Amino acid sequence: MSGETFKSQHLQRLWENYLAAFHFPQNPIALYPELTLSAPLAPFRLLAKFDLVALLPDGKAIIYDWKTYRKRPKNEFLAIRWQTRVYRALLAQAGMQLNGGQPFAPEQIEMIYWFSDFPAEPAHFPYSAAQFKRDWDALEKLAAEI
C-alpha cells in the first residue's frame, strides 16, 4: 500500500468516525471554529487558537479540541497539560466578546478532547474558580520567570 493510499484511508476513517460519533450535548446557539483569543499576561500577551468553541443555551461555553493520537491518553495526563489549563483560563479571562461583554464564570467553561481514533471516548474537563486561580497564577509566574 502506498503512503498516499494509507493517508487517504486514514483520513476517510477519521471523517467517518467524526460523522458517526461527534455530537454536541445540546443544540449550540453559536459556534466559533478556529477561534483566536488573547489576553495580557504580565509584559506579554497570551494567545491561543481554539479548534472550536460552542456556546450552549444554558450559558455554558465548551471548548472542543480534536486529537488524532493513535493511542488514547489517560485523562490524568490531559488534565495537567498546559493546553487544558491555558485554553480554559484564557476563555475565562478573554472570552467576554463571545458572551455579550460579560466574562464567563469558570464554572460555565468545559473543555472536551475528542479523539478521532476513539470517537466514543471523549475526555471532559469542567472548570472551577479555584482551578482558574491556580492556572492564571501559574501562567503569571511563568511569564515573570521568562
Side-chain angles (χ1 to χ4, degrees):
M1 173 185 314
S2 76
E4 288 302 313
T5 302
F6 175 78
K7 288 177 188 174
S8 277
Q9 289 175 343
H10 183 70
L11 184 58
Q12 181 65 34
R13 184 172 41 76
L14 299 180
W15 181 244
E16 288 169 3
N17 285 349
Y18 168 80
L19 292 175
F22 184 80
H23 60 84
F24 295 105
Q26 299 176 23
N27 290 328
I29 58 171
L31 297 173
Y32 297 94
E34 298 295 317
L35 174 70
T36 300
L37 289 177
S38 70
L41 180 66
F44 304 106
R45 206 152 178 84
L46 179 64
L47 181 134
K49 188 168 189 175
F50 300 78
D51 287 347
L52 177 68
V53 174
L55 303 184
L56 303 182
D58 65 2
K60 283 186 79 172
I62 300 184
I63 302 163
Y64 288 94
D65 196 76
W66 280 261
K67 295 296 183 197
T68 57
Y69 298 139
R70 295 202 187 273
K71 182 179 176 191
R72 191 197 182 288
K74 293 183 186 277
N75 285 1
E76 296 79 13
F77 166 77
L78 295 167
I80 62 171
R81 287 188 72 210
W82 275 112
Q83 182 182 17
T84 307
R85 296 175 67 187
V86 167
Y87 279 27
R88 294 181 305 172
L90 189 57
L91 185 58
Q93 188 72 18
M96 61 200 70
Q97 76 232 30
L98 308 177
N99 196 29
Q102 297 298 313
F104 288 104
E107 292 78 10
Q108 291 177 282
I109 296 171
E110 180 178 2
M111 183 162 181
I112 299 175
Y113 287 104
W114 188 80
F115 305 96
S116 56
D117 280 328
F118 307 92
E121 301 176 36
H124 295 257
F125 297 96
Y127 210 35
S128 70
Q131 289 172 313
F132 171 69
K133 180 172 180 5
R134 174 205 67 191
D135 293 341
W136 202 258
D137 288 350
L139 288 165
E140 287 179 328
K141 182 176 183 245
L142 188 59
E145 288 174 14
I146 292 171

